[in-house]
Amino acid sequence: VDPALVELRQRLGEIDDLETAKSILDWDLAVWMPPGGETARASQLATLETVIHTRRTDERIGALLDELEPYAASLDPASDDACLLRVARRNWERARRVPTALAAELASAEADAYATWVRAREASDYAMFKPELSRMLDLKLRWVECFAPYDDPYDVLLDEYDEGLRATDVEAVFDVLRPALTELVDARAVAPGTGEDAFLHAPYPASAQEALGRELCERFGASWDAFRLDPTVHPFAVRFGQNDIRLTTAYEERGLSSLFSAMHECGHGLYEWGSALSLDRTPLAGGGSSSLHESQSRLWENLVGRSRPFWRWFYPRLQEVFPDQLGAVDLDCFYRAINRVERGFVRIDADETSYGLHIVLRFQLERQLVTGRLSVDDLPDAWNAGFRDLMGVDVPDDRHGVLQDVHWSVGLFGYFPTYLLGSVLAVQIWERLRRDLPDVDTQMERGDFSAIHTWLRDHLYALGRTLPPSETIARVAGGPIDPRPYLAYLAAKVA
Amino acid sequence: VDPALVELRQRLGEIDDLETAKSILDWDLAVWMPPGGETARASQLATLETVIHTRRTDERIGALLDELEPYAASLDPASDDACLLRVARRNWERARRVPTALAAELASAEADAYATWVRAREASDYAMFKPELSRMLDLKLRWVECFAPYDDPYDVLLDEYDEGLRATDVEAVFDVLRPALTELVDARAVAPGTGEDAFLHAPYPASAQEALGRELCERFGASWDAFRLDPTVHPFAVRFGQNDIRLTTAYEERGLSSLFSAMHECGHGLYEWGSALSLDRTPLAGGGSSSLHESQSRLWENLVGRSRPFWRWFYPRLQEVFPDQLGAVDLDCFYRAINRVERGFVRIDADETSYGLHIVLRFQLERQLVTGRLSVDDLPDAWNAGFRDLMGVDVPDDRHGVLQDVHWSVGLFGYFPTYLLGSVLAVQIWERLRRDLPDVDTQMERGDFSAIHTWLRDHLYALGRTLPPSETIARVAGGPIDPRPYLAYLAAKVA
């Protein structure tokens, strides 16, 4: 083996170790840290980011990559080594554009702004969050400038989560989705809180929800030898190693949203877990892009977890655990309730149909923020006006409006579109899976998800991030992203 | 301000950030990590240690310290800056002796050996643990060699936990304690499991124990804005920042040991929390030495938590929570049971009197291990023979013998003596406190610990590690370590 490759792998492995250490600090911040830890944590994260960024941008990595170019040129482009060299080159070149001080300041600001967001959301007080949001937006815009020249600043943000994705690509899909989703919502939506789904807003003890969430994760294939499920404010999933996957969920006092969130995060976790072993401790482990990642969370949450076959299996179990809340509710009524189209305020509680409009709103606002057409001062009004425009209802307060999502506090501008693109991809992938597994409904009806998990692992998860996202999508979905199957699926579901 | 001091503080602050990051990974490993995470975690810890050690040993720190020598010489030796320069010099010189590769290998071996110890203890299988223990001992001996020449290899180990403490100092104290404790045990001990304390071995639901442990921590002065209490296998406490203190405890299926362990760890936590704010993010924050640290855990666990005034206050509450187990047990009976002298096998469950003999055994075995007079192969036999010799009973299995403690798995050779020295110091400190707070018993009887906490903070905690341990001890205990008050206290207690 070429000693340059050995050294490069060693350096990338150490960067991966340190990035994971930072992830562990971020996870602890979101899951366990007492409020008093904020200041120290921001400083710890900034110092770690300084170390990581210094290593990422080390000239030696560039020299090794140059030295390995003839070797790279000799390889099958789909081989692990070729993919590693391609991704390492991209990561190195991107990191080199960003000054270490800015990277460290971003890490520290994320910790501060996250903590402030948690409090501001709790208090429904945008004014409390605004200074942190301003600072974060300024930092992200300075970060975007590092990548000049560019056609559109939003492209720079997208490229971080989805290599090669451009704002015009997102628009092309959203231009199809927005009118179609609006039409479906107009035709089918009921006002939140009306009618026959009061049982979905009843109290469900958190401990029972947690036990059921765990049951579902196990059934989907997660092993507690490699997974954890912990409580947080805004659910997420993260990988700390090939066999150390952390899921989080949030337990509300009312309703069963934690179950859908557990299935969603389990989808992310299974994807992270499924990377080929040979990719461990390299930048190739994990999901192929944010859109692909969201395709998997949305697939397990919705294509599986809101399907009729799934509930034919699981609903009796749910009734058994919650006889007071659900004993008198039949399966049809429950199924309709978890799938009915609502003009709700909160994205993560949204049905599949209105969900897309929540994303369209965020995409519009983000583009205006990063191009300077909208100020942080005017954001809540723009949110509320945009929401009224898309959904036809008035946002009651900022907690159910502009403060509901964690993303902007931690600098994730440009991330939201990947949720909707992921939902679209999920249906494309699911249709391919069904072609290969024609009796998947029967399997779900008996609570057997092993063939689904295996198919996804073999066709998608094992690839990790070896290939550019567009190639991974072509392989697993059989072609480029296409919103039509998604719209057909939704139309059939709410018919 | 001297720019050299600014730069030095910046560098030490970053080292502190990275050391804390490593502590967070260690804490997660012991509290939450799924078993699958072991390999990745060992690698993450080794990489972090490499980064830390490289920074600790940076020549620039030596140059800055040299540059600051005239400034240091001009200072009051008790000033924060003088203490900082003294401790920074010591840390730098010690770190410079250890090769980075050895430091990293130790960090990685600790993670591996800890995980193996957890499994081996569970299975009571010393053979499973032995290879990891051998490797760890070899690594520690290589580490000791870095500090040659020395009089006694054990001195090098002690000096890491207690600056300036020597094996002969420990022997001088233990030579007084061993015969006196043996005499007390011989005179007072009952066999474990005999007689009137069956209620201490009844089942107590973990969730109720946890709630009571939290109540006690709160009463002692811990705030959940700055503290957490989580479950683990072998309890410990760790500081992640001025206001981020993590306590852990273990919930057994039977008995109330988690309450004493929560009080013990709370003592550590209050000490860590009480450092003067000006010491935060410097090597001066935290406890003055391991013996001083243990004096505080033992003080809160025993001088407070096994005292009659304390239980006059808390016993009715305990009975209220556990009426089935304790409703028919009166306060006197309970007090006698938690204080009775036993020939038990497990150190952390030991009464105050026999506790010292558990430590004496470990000290003897450790000294033999590090001087090569005892091999890892022969350790279980030596443990069992030594235990029989000291306690007069046969160890039933390795889980209750040589495998019971976590320390050796994570390389903590030389740490055990500090528990007993801490117990001795706790009584010396407690006597000084009582002189200043003559009505402390009355305060405890009404569940008021605020004056105790304030006295300890003002007289000890605020000092952090500014002074050498011997000076801190002289200030807070009024003189050097002295086993006589401890023996008098025990004799009175078990009379």
Side-chain angles (χ1 to χ4, degrees):
Chain A
V1 181
D2 192 324
L5 187 61
V6 173
E7 184 184 339
L8 181 68
R9 280 185 172 275
Q10 173 66 19
R11 285 176 176 269
L12 297 177
E14 287 174 5
I15 291 170
D16 189 72
D17 288 338
L18 295 166
E19 287 171 339
T20 304
K22 183 161 172 273
S23 292
I24 294 169
L25 269 61
D26 279 323
W27 169 86
D28 175 73
L29 168 69
V31 178
W32 306 116
M33 192 183 79
E38 279 166 32
T39 312
R41 186 56 50 88
S43 162
Q44 292 147 12
L45 288 166
T47 299
L48 255 182
E49 181 62 29
T50 302
V51 171
I52 292 166
H53 198 265
T54 304
R55 287 183 167 234
R56 274 184 189 147
T57 56
D58 194 312
E59 304 221 335
R60 181 71 186 149
I61 290 183
L64 290 167
L65 288 169
D66 289 345
E67 197 180 327
L68 287 161
E69 282 214 337
Y71 173 65
S74 76
L75 293 169
D76 170 359
S79 68
D80 278 4
D81 277 356
C83 295
L84 181 70
L85 292 168
R86 184 186 72 78
V87 171
R89 165 74 70 183
R90 170 176 149 91
N91 290 351
W92 186 76
E93 286 176 353
R94 285 180 67 83
R96 292 280 291 183
R97 286 173 172 266
V98 181
T100 301
L102 176 58
E105 203 178 339
L106 270 163
S108 166
E110 284 165 23
D112 289 338
Y114 174 80
T116 306
W117 168 75
V118 169
R119 283 194 298 271
R121 174 178 172 277
E122 188 64 32
S124 196
D125 181 354
Y126 180 77
M128 187 193 292
F129 182 49
K130 200 177 73 176
E132 296 285 357
L133 180 60
S134 272
R135 180 184 171 211
M136 179 53 70
L137 182 60
D138 286 348
L139 287 169
K140 285 303 275 195
L141 293 178
R142 278 169 55 201
W143 181 87
V144 166
E145 279 319 299
C146 301
F147 296 87
Y150 45 75
D151 291 336
D152 183 325
Y154 201 80
D155 288 349
V156 178
L157 296 163
L158 285 173
D159 196 40
E160 183 74 358
Y161 311 121
D162 251 87
E163 182 184 348
L165 185 67
R166 300 166 65 96
T168 48
D169 302 327
V170 177
E171 271 173 343
V173 176
F174 285 14
D175 283 350
V176 175
L177 290 176
R178 182 182 164 150
L181 294 174
T182 304
E183 195 177 315
L184 275 172
V185 170
D186 284 346
R188 301 289 171 194
V190 297
T194 60
E196 54 184 332
D197 69 344
F199 57 88
L200 273 193
H201 307 281
Y204 291 83
S207 59
Q209 289 192 55
E210 187 186 334
L212 289 171
R214 287 180 191 281
E215 273 183 48
L216 291 175
C217 291
E218 283 171 37
R219 283 291 181 142
F220 288 0
S223 154
W224 302 117
D225 281 346
F227 279 69
R228 285 195 58 86
L229 175 65
D230 295 302
T232 189
V233 176
H234 200 108
F236 63 100
V238 60
R239 168 198 171 105
F240 295 161
Q242 181 79 37
N243 286 300
D244 188 352
I245 309 291
R246 310 291 174 106
L247 314 180
T248 65
T249 188
Y251 301 101
E252 303 294 334
E253 288 167 27
R254 291 172 174 274
L256 291 165
S257 65
S258 81
L259 292 187
F260 295 98
S261 135
M263 292 192 274
H264 180 104
E265 301 308 333
C266 186
H268 283 305
L270 292 174
Y271 194 176
E272 290 285 319
W273 194 33
S275 296
L277 268 170
S278 59
L279 310 180
D280 191 30
R281 208 167 166 253
T282 79
L284 302 182
S289 73
S290 297
S291 297
L292 281 161
H293 237 306
E294 295 303 331
S295 81
Q296 293 314 294
S297 53
R298 303 286 289 168
L299 184 150
W300 286 99
E301 177 192 358
N302 292 328
L303 282 305
V304 174
R306 288 184 206 269
S307 74
R308 203 179 275 274
F310 173 87
W311 285 104
R312 282 208 187 98
W313 163 64
F314 198 62
Y315 191 59
R317 173 80 184 116
L318 197 70
Q319 285 181 306
E320 177 187 289
V321 176
F322 301 119
D324 296 343
Q325 297 92 331
L326 298 173
V329 179
D330 69 18
L331 172 62
D332 257 10
C333 181
F334 181 83
Y335 176 77
R336 279 198 310 275
I338 61 164
N339 282 297
R340 75 183 200 158
V341 184
E342 279 192 358
R343 301 180 192 278
F345 301 111
V346 176
R347 178 183 61 84
I348 62 169
D349 297 336
D351 61 274
E352 290 175 86
T353 309
S354 67
Y355 186 88
L357 298 179
H358 289 269
I359 298 299
V360 167
L361 171 65
R362 286 155 177 78
F363 174 61
Q364 288 170 354
L365 296 173
E366 282 187 341
R367 293 205 70 191
Q368 292 169 15
L369 282 172
V370 302
T371 52
R373 284 173 290 146
L374 175 64
S375 76
V376 166
D377 282 340
D378 298 332
L379 178 61
D381 287 346
W383 179 289
N384 295 343
F387 197 84
R388 168 141 212 101
D389 185 37
L390 278 165
M391 291 283 207
V393 287
D394 288 321
V395 172
D397 56 32
D398 289 340
R399 188 187 163 124
H400 294 86
V402 68
L403 288 176
Q404 68 184 266
D405 284 313
V406 68
H407 302 66
W408 293 336
S409 79
V410 291
L412 289 176
F413 297 94
Y415 193 95
F416 283 117
T418 70
Y419 287 112
L420 186 49
L421 299 177
S423 300
V424 168
L425 286 170
V427 174
Q428 292 178 264
I429 295 168
W430 186 244
E431 294 198 343
R432 301 266 293 186
L433 177 149
R434 290 183 76 97
R435 213 175 309 159
D436 289 351
L437 304 174
D439 66 338
V440 71
D441 285 355
T442 323
Q443 292 171 27
M444 289 198 285
E445 278 172 8
R446 51 170 203 266
D448 180 358
F449 305 93
S450 56
I452 299 174
H453 183 199
T454 303
W455 191 95
L456 290 167
R457 201 182 57 215
D458 293 348
H459 290 78
L460 176 61
Y461 302 170
L463 290 173
R465 50 178 73 234
T466 50
L467 307 177
S470 57
E471 285 184 41
T472 305
I473 290 169
R475 280 206 199 185
V476 67
I481 189 162
D482 178 357
R484 286 168 304 175
Y486 180 59
L487 288 172
Y489 159 80
L490 290 178
K493 191 154 192 184
V494 303
Chain B
V1 182
D2 192 324
L5 186 62
V6 173
E7 184 185 339
L8 181 68
R9 280 187 172 276
Q10 172 67 17
R11 284 174 176 269
L12 297 177
E14 288 173 3
I15 291 169
D16 189 73
D17 288 337
L18 295 166
E19 288 171 338
T20 304
K22 183 160 171 276
S23 293
I24 295 169
L25 268 60
D26 279 323
W27 168 87
D28 175 73
L29 168 69
V31 178
W32 305 117
M33 193 183 77
E38 277 166 34
T39 312
R41 186 57 50 88
S43 162
Q44 292 147 11
L45 288 166
T47 299
L48 255 182
E49 181 62 29
T50 303
V51 170
I52 293 166
H53 198 265
T54 304
R55 287 185 168 232
R56 276 184 187 147
T57 56
D58 194 312
E59 305 220 334
R60 180 72 187 150
I61 291 183
L64 290 167
L65 288 168
D66 289 345
E67 195 180 328
L68 287 162
E69 281 213 338
Y71 173 66
S74 76
L75 293 168
D76 171 358
S79 66
D80 278 3
D81 277 356
C83 295
L84 182 70
L85 292 168
R86 185 187 71 78
V87 171
R89 165 74 70 184
R90 171 176 148 89
N91 290 351
W92 186 76
E93 286 175 353
R94 285 179 67 81
R96 294 278 291 184
R97 287 173 172 265
V98 180
T100 301
L102 176 58
E105 203 178 339
L106 271 162
S108 166
E110 284 166 23
D112 289 338
Y114 174 81
T116 305
W117 167 75
V118 169
R119 283 193 297 272
R121 174 179 172 275
E122 187 65 30
S124 195
D125 181 353
Y126 180 76
M128 188 193 291
F129 182 50
K130 201 177 74 174
E132 296 284 357
L133 179 60
S134 272
R135 179 184 171 208
M136 178 55 69
L137 182 61
D138 287 347
L139 286 169
K140 286 305 275 195
L141 293 177
R142 278 169 55 201
W143 181 87
V144 165
E145 279 319 298
C146 301
F147 296 87
Y150 44 75
D151 291 338
D152 184 326
Y154 201 81
D155 288 351
V156 178
L157 295 163
L158 285 172
D159 197 40
E160 182 75 359
Y161 312 121
D162 251 87
E163 181 185 348
L165 186 67
R166 299 165 66 96
T168 49
D169 302 327
V170 177
E171 271 172 344
V173 177
F174 286 13
D175 283 349
V176 175
L177 291 176
R178 181 182 165 149
L181 294 175
T182 304
E183 196 177 314
L184 276 172
V185 169
D186 284 346
R188 301 289 172 195
V190 296
T194 61
E196 53 183 332
D197 68 345
F199 56 88
L200 273 192
H201 306 281
Y204 291 83
S207 59
Q209 288 192 55
E210 186 186 334
L212 289 170
R214 287 179 190 282
E215 273 183 48
L216 291 174
C217 291
E218 283 170 38
R219 281 292 181 141
F220 288 179
S223 153
W224 302 118
D225 282 346
F227 279 69
R228 284 193 58 84
L229 175 64
D230 295 301
T232 188
V233 176
H234 200 108
F236 64 99
V238 59
R239 167 199 171 104
F240 295 161
Q242 181 78 38
N243 286 300
D244 188 353
I245 309 292
R246 310 291 174 106
L247 314 180
T248 64
T249 188
Y251 302 100
E252 303 294 332
E253 287 166 27
R254 291 172 175 274
L256 291 164
S257 65
S258 81
L259 293 187
F260 296 98
S261 138
M263 291 192 275
H264 180 103
E265 301 307 334
C266 186
H268 283 305
L270 292 174
Y271 194 176
E272 290 285 321
W273 195 32
S275 296
L277 267 171
S278 60
L279 309 180
D280 190 31
R281 208 168 166 255
T282 79
L284 302 181
S289 72
S290 297
S291 297
L292 281 161
H293 236 306
E294 295 302 331
S295 81
Q296 294 314 296
S297 53
R298 303 285 290 168
L299 184 149
W300 286 100
E301 176 192 357
N302 292 329
L303 283 305
V304 173
R306 288 184 207 268
S307 76
R308 202 180 276 277
F310 172 87
W311 286 104
R312 283 209 186 96
W313 162 65
F314 198 62
Y315 192 59
R317 172 81 184 114
L318 197 70
Q319 286 182 305
E320 177 187 290
V321 175
F322 300 118
D324 295 343
Q325 297 92 332
L326 298 173
V329 179
D330 70 17
L331 172 61
D332 258 9
C333 183
F334 180 83
Y335 176 77
R336 279 198 311 275
I338 61 165
N339 282 296
R340 76 182 199 158
V341 183
E342 279 192 357
R343 303 181 193 274
F345 301 111
V346 176
R347 177 184 61 84
I348 62 169
D349 297 337
D351 62 273
E352 290 175 86
T353 309
S354 67
Y355 185 89
L357 297 179
H358 289 269
I359 298 299
V360 167
L361 171 64
R362 286 157 178 76
F363 174 62
Q364 288 170 353
L365 296 173
E366 282 187 340
R367 293 204 69 192
Q368 293 168 15
L369 281 173
V370 302
T371 53
R373 284 174 289 144
L374 175 63
S375 76
V376 166
D377 281 341
D378 298 332
L379 178 60
D381 286 346
W383 178 290
N384 296 341
F387 197 84
R388 167 141 214 104
D389 186 37
L390 278 164
M391 291 286 206
V393 286
D394 287 321
V395 172
D397 55 33
D398 289 339
R399 186 187 165 127
H400 295 86
V402 68
L403 287 176
Q404 69 183 264
D405 284 311
V406 68
H407 302 66
W408 294 335
S409 79
V410 291
L412 290 176
F413 296 93
Y415 193 96
F416 283 117
T418 70
Y419 286 112
L420 185 50
L421 299 177
S423 300
V424 169
L425 286 170
V427 174
Q428 291 177 265
I429 294 168
W430 186 245
E431 293 196 343
R432 301 266 295 183
L433 178 149
R434 292 183 75 97
R435 212 177 308 159
D436 289 351
L437 303 174
D439 66 339
V440 71
D441 285 354
T442 324
Q443 292 171 26
M444 287 197 286
E445 279 172 6
R446 49 171 205 266
D448 180 359
F449 305 92
S450 55
I452 299 174
H453 183 198
T454 303
W455 190 96
L456 290 167
R457 201 182 55 214
D458 294 348
H459 290 78
L460 177 60
Y461 302 171
L463 290 173
R465 49 177 74 231
T466 51
L467 308 176
S470 57
E471 286 185 40
T472 304
I473 290 169
R475 281 207 197 182
V476 68
I481 189 161
D482 179 355
R484 288 167 303 177
Y486 179 61
L487 288 172
Y489 158 81
L490 289 179
K493 191 154 193 185
V494 302

